[in-house]
Amino acid sequence: YSDGEKTVGVSQLFAQYRPLVRHTIKPEVKVGAFYPALSVENTDMAWLSPHFLSNSAINSWIGEELRIGGVEASLRQNGRQVRRSWSWKALAGLFKGNDTTGTLLSWRGFALHDRQSLFDDRVNFYPLPWIVNDDELNAPAWTEPFREIDNRIGFYLGGHLAYQRQSELRYYYYDNRANPIKVDPDRLYAWRTKFHSLSVRHRLSSKLTLFSQALAGSTLMGEDIVSNHFYSAYVAASYQLDNAVLSTRLDWYHVIDDDSTWRDPNRSIGQAMTLNYSRPLSELLTLSAEWQLNKGQQANRVEAQYSESFSEHSAKLAITLRY
């Protein structure tokens, strides 16, 4: 990616162990670097979306700033095995890193894209004067999303509930437990970031699938230097045509600036609409066309632009090879 340092790297690398047990409740352990499975949107290989070329605002942020470097343990029960309509999974994870999670959300705001940060990657953002000036915060205009700063262990809890193959609900609570007053030699601060995520998928018919996600959380850096609450949600639908798939998504996002640092406005709010048309060309190739409108306000844009408001139109055309 043009806004990072790495050209080749690792986004996920983990081992998963599912022992064979006679009991209907099955244990599972995952160790390594991976995404928590909180998304019902990014369910394809390599954490891609089977419906869109660009991710929702929620999962664009997850792809950029959040990755688990640790261990996850879970228990699950398949409803078909016990002749019931309901299946479930309960899980918990421990991790290190992710101490800078919240940087981009506060100093750049939500975005919609397909970027997945690599481990040891560096993501640049606009050099806002209050951030980079020596006599102000004196922090860099970049972040390393998975850096460990305070040696604290973060955690998350989650639960999945599914009704046959028709409906699914996923809930996660995440807390990186970062110490917000810790800063490393590169002047990167630890950000205390925590959130709730609720995702729902429902197959309304053999052709129509509805899915949605809501996220609510907060992030804190320094002794109230930056204190923000953030919210985002989307609703999406995917419809199977005769030989193609038509998908649409509506996004809303909001960052609320709760601190008293007037030189560093973090407030942002926006909404987006995405339309995607995908058609298989062969067993291996798929052609996708996507249009997106993203508009809103970002308070710190006045440092580089004449207005807080923005309106972005994008069109994408892609051929995907799957084998």
Side-chain angles (χ1 to χ4, degrees):
Y1 302 94
S2 61
D3 63 340
E5 284 198 329
K6 297 289 185 181
T7 54
V8 177
V10 175
S11 62
Q12 295 189 85
L13 183 63
F14 61 89
Q16 200 165 359
Y17 178 54
R18 295 178 176 177
L20 296 175
V21 296
R22 292 185 177 181
H23 201 280
T24 60
I25 298 178
K26 311 290 187 182
E28 180 180 325
V29 177
K30 185 187 291 188
V31 179
F34 52 90
Y35 289 101
L38 52 82
S39 174
V40 293
E41 176 186 35
N42 297 68
T43 56
D44 213 344
M45 181 191 309
W47 206 73
L48 298 175
S49 170
H51 307 290
F52 300 100
L53 297 175
S54 60
N55 300 323
S56 62
I58 294 174
N59 292 302
S60 294
W61 174 58
I62 298 295
E64 261 186 325
E65 281 209 277
L66 196 148
R67 209 69 43 83
I68 298 304
V71 58
E72 176 186 289
S74 65
L75 296 172
R76 73 187 192 282
Q77 184 178 72
N78 189 319
R80 296 179 64 185
Q81 186 178 358
V82 293
R83 298 183 179 180
R84 295 175 183 170
S85 298
W86 295 91
S87 301
W88 59 267
K89 181 178 182 179
L91 57 92
L94 299 174
F95 61 90
K96 298 190 75 173
N98 279 201
D99 283 353
T100 63
T101 300
T103 304
L104 293 175
L105 203 59
S106 298
W107 285 339
R108 186 212 56 199
F110 280 101
L112 288 87
H113 51 69
D114 66 346
R115 191 191 201 286
Q116 296 185 45
S117 297
L118 306 174
F119 277 85
D120 294 326
D121 203 356
R122 178 177 292 181
V123 184
N124 300 299
F125 54 87
Y126 185 80
L128 297 166
W130 181 82
I131 297 173
V132 301
N133 286 351
D134 293 343
D135 56 349
E136 299 285 358
L137 188 62
N138 190 26
W142 50 265
T143 181
E144 289 186 1
F146 316 127
R147 183 179 289 201
E148 177 60 43
I149 295 176
D150 61 2
N151 291 317
R152 287 186 175 183
I153 296 176
F155 76 94
Y156 62 94
L157 305 172
H160 298 194
L161 184 64
Y163 179 76
Q164 298 177 349
R165 295 184 178 179
Q166 182 178 354
S167 303
E168 183 181 12
L169 182 147
R170 300 183 184 183
Y171 167 77
Y172 278 74
Y173 175 72
Y174 169 97
D175 187 345
N176 68 359
R177 297 187 64 250
N179 184 350
I181 64 172
K182 289 290 185 178
V183 59
D184 75 358
D186 288 326
R187 297 292 298 171
L188 291 178
Y189 278 82
W191 295 64
R192 176 68 183 275
T193 300
K194 49 189 176 180
F195 62 79
H196 300 269
S197 171
L198 182 66
S199 304
V200 179
R201 177 189 291 271
H202 178 63
R203 189 179 182 188
L204 198 61
S205 69
S206 60
K207 292 187 175 183
L208 179 60
T209 300
L210 307 177
F211 51 104
S212 179
Q213 186 174 0
L215 183 84
S218 63
T219 187
L220 174 67
M221 186 272 279
E223 294 182 353
D224 202 43
I225 295 177
V226 180
S227 178
N228 297 323
H229 279 82
F230 53 87
Y231 305 90
S232 184
Y234 72 82
V235 292
S238 180
Y239 186 77
Q240 179 71 52
L241 303 172
D242 290 339
N243 193 31
V245 178
L246 181 63
S247 302
T248 183
R249 185 183 64 223
L250 299 175
D251 279 86
W252 299 268
Y253 52 87
H254 192 186
V255 177
I256 300 174
D257 191 345
D258 294 323
D259 59 69
S260 56
T261 308
W262 63 270
R263 295 166 293 177
D264 180 38
N266 307 131
R267 182 188 63 83
S268 63
I269 188 169
Q271 52 277 324
M273 180 179 182
T274 307
L275 297 174
N276 182 283
Y277 176 86
S278 296
R279 184 182 186 92
L281 301 178
S282 68
E283 293 184 358
L284 300 180
L285 296 176
T286 301
L287 175 67
S288 299
E290 184 170 291
W291 172 83
Q292 184 176 93
L293 169 63
N294 181 24
K295 60 188 304 182
Q297 296 87 40
Q298 176 81 28
N300 60 20
R301 278 176 56 88
V302 295
E303 298 287 353
Q305 306 288 337
Y306 291 110
S307 173
E308 296 183 4
S309 300
F310 63 88
S311 181
E312 302 170 344
H313 293 262
S314 66
K316 297 179 181 180
L317 187 67
I319 294 180
T320 306
L321 171 65
R322 300 177 189 270
Y323 61 93

